[in-house]
Structure formats: C-alpha cells, structure tokens
Amino acid sequence: ELKVEQNPLFLSMQEGKNYTIYCNYSTTSDRLYWYRQDPGKSLESLFVLLSNGAVKQEGRLMASLDTKARLSTLHITAAVHDLSATYFCAVDKETSGSRLTFGEGTQLTVNP
Amino acid sequence: NAGVTQTPKFRVLKTGQSMTLLCAQDMNHEYMYWYRQDPGMGLRLIHYSVGEGTTAKGEVPDGYNVSRLKKQNFLLGLESAAPSQTSVYFCASSYWGDYGYTFGSGTRLTVV
C-alpha cells in the first residue's frame, strides 16, 4: 500500500525566513505533485516532478525530487504572508490507474 | 471552458437520508475520481473510474456508491448518510497517458 507522509504538519514562520517541507513516499511512484490549498478553496497545482533529480521553481517556491530516497522537498525562500496556505504532496503510478495518493498536508502560516 | 463542475456546492443532510453528488467534466478525460477531505488527513480516494461504464473502489469506499453512465459524468451516491460522512468532497479528472489532474471546487456536506 502506497503511503505518503509530510512533515511538518504545521509550520509557523516569519516573513523573510526560509524553510523546507518534506514529503516521503513508501513505494516506487511515477510522478510527484505539489498542490496549494487556500481555506475553503480547491487545490491549485504548483509542480509536477517526473524524474529523479528534477527541480522546479516558481517564485519563492522550489520543489525537488529524489526517487532513490523516495523524498521530495518544497523549499520556501524569503517567505511572504501570501504564501500562507496548506500544501499537499501527492504521488501516482500510471500502472495503477493513475490515481493520486496524498500526504496529510502542511499548514503554513507566515507571520509579519 | 468549465473544467470540472461539482453540484451541489453545499448540502446539509439528516442521518439516514440519501443524496447524489454530481461531477461533470468537459475535457474528454477518461479518468474520474471522488475524494473526501477531512481535517488532518489530506484527501482520500473513495471511488474512481477509468472509463465510461467502469468503476473501482479506492481507499475509503464504504457507505458510497458511484456510477459512470456517460464519459463526462461521475456520480457519487450516499444511500443512508451518517455523521461520519460529514466532509468536503472533491471530484477530479485526468487524461489517460498524460499527467496532471483537474479538480472541482468541492462540495461541503454536513450530516446531522
């Protein structure tokens, strides 16, 4: 059974600081996704990581993937209040019908 | 381009009542999914479909039934609602052989 674990689950940080959210998964997967969710809203796709060593950056967020360690990281650089949200990682395998398995989510609060 | 549309957006049910949630997509996606989201547990897969006329169980299927009579629609039914089914329900769709999922805006269901 595929399991996805994120840590930390709650993160409170000051504006301007850097931090990393970790995502571990239990079995080989084809793709890793990062999503953002604002309260009461749907999921917004941030990144899709397809291969070992993949790195993608968008603004203050950078995601990376190490398939050998079964680990993805979401690094936040110089946080701003607008980044406050819940972040989910998820993985899927095309051979299993391409269905996503999600982590528990990391609730990020950026304080002034 | 509507994407994935869920109806209704909100609903309050009494224990034992039944209801159907509708998910409609206009992107000609083969795969469709129903997830539920509960605090601290991420999104969990209820049922999914890999094509018209097919359905399969996900991680938490008990108490739910689904149907996919038309490619563009995926229905989630609760035959006898229970308070444990209070949750936010998300529908998603994806295209076979491609990556990336499109999520609906969610249905907030309360069972009292």
Side-chain angles (χ1 to χ4, degrees):
Chain A
E1 181 185 349
L2 178 59
K3 291 189 181 297
V4 181
E5 294 183 341
Q6 291 181 233
N7 73 83
L9 299 183
F10 299 93
L11 177 55
S12 180
M13 55 191 300
Q14 287 185 311
E15 282 189 330
K17 299 292 187 181
N18 304 332
Y19 210 84
T20 300
I21 299 171
Y22 297 88
C23 174
N24 289 92
Y25 52 98
S26 60
T27 63
T28 304
S29 297
D30 291 326
R31 300 170 288 227
L32 190 133
Y33 302 77
W34 284 99
Y35 290 92
R36 168 182 172 144
Q37 186 181 40
D38 292 300
K41 303 293 185 181
S42 187
L43 281 78
E44 173 191 353
S45 179
L46 296 174
F47 303 108
V48 182
L49 303 171
L50 303 178
S51 60
N52 188 43
V55 177
K56 291 194 174 181
Q57 183 163 5
E58 181 73 32
R60 302 175 186 273
L61 300 177
M62 183 175 71
S64 65
L65 178 62
D66 181 345
T67 58
K68 294 180 180 178
R70 296 178 187 159
L71 171 68
S72 179
T73 61
L74 181 66
H75 187 72
I76 303 156
T77 302
V80 293
H81 179 70
D82 285 351
L83 289 179
S84 296
T86 299
Y87 294 84
F88 292 95
C89 66
V91 298
D92 72 359
K93 284 183 68 67
E94 199 165 354
T95 53
S96 69
S98 293
R99 54 189 189 274
L100 281 171
T101 301
F102 283 84
E104 308 97 321
T106 297
Q107 186 175 320
L108 172 65
T109 303
V110 181
N111 303 303
Chain B
N1 186 8
V4 176
T5 303
Q6 291 183 233
T7 53
K9 296 191 184 307
F10 302 93
R11 185 72 185 268
V12 178
L13 282 181
K14 293 183 178 180
T15 298
Q17 286 185 320
S18 63
M19 78 164 295
T20 300
L21 282 66
L22 171 63
C23 177
Q25 53 94 4
D26 61 0
M27 298 167 287
N28 203 34
H29 284 173
E30 287 90 354
Y31 295 173
M32 296 187 74
Y33 314 84
W34 277 107
Y35 287 89
R36 61 176 288 172
Q37 183 177 24
D38 301 295
M41 302 185 76
L43 279 76
R44 293 180 293 167
L45 183 64
I46 305 171
H47 286 280
Y48 65 102
S49 169
V50 299
E52 182 179 315
T54 74
T55 63
K57 294 180 180 180
E59 183 185 356
V60 288
D62 294 344
Y64 305 94
N65 56 75
V66 287
S67 65
R68 183 117 181 253
L69 298 180
K70 294 183 178 180
K71 185 177 184 179
Q72 63 268 34
N73 296 336
F74 195 29
L75 279 63
L76 178 70
L78 287 72
E79 290 187 347
S80 180
S84 61
Q85 294 177 304
T86 294
S87 188
V88 180
Y89 293 84
F90 286 99
C91 177
S93 68
S94 67
Y95 187 69
W96 181 86
D98 196 0
Y99 59 86
Y101 296 77
T102 303
F103 283 85
S105 58
T107 296
R108 187 172 297 273
L109 175 66
T110 302
V111 183
V112 298

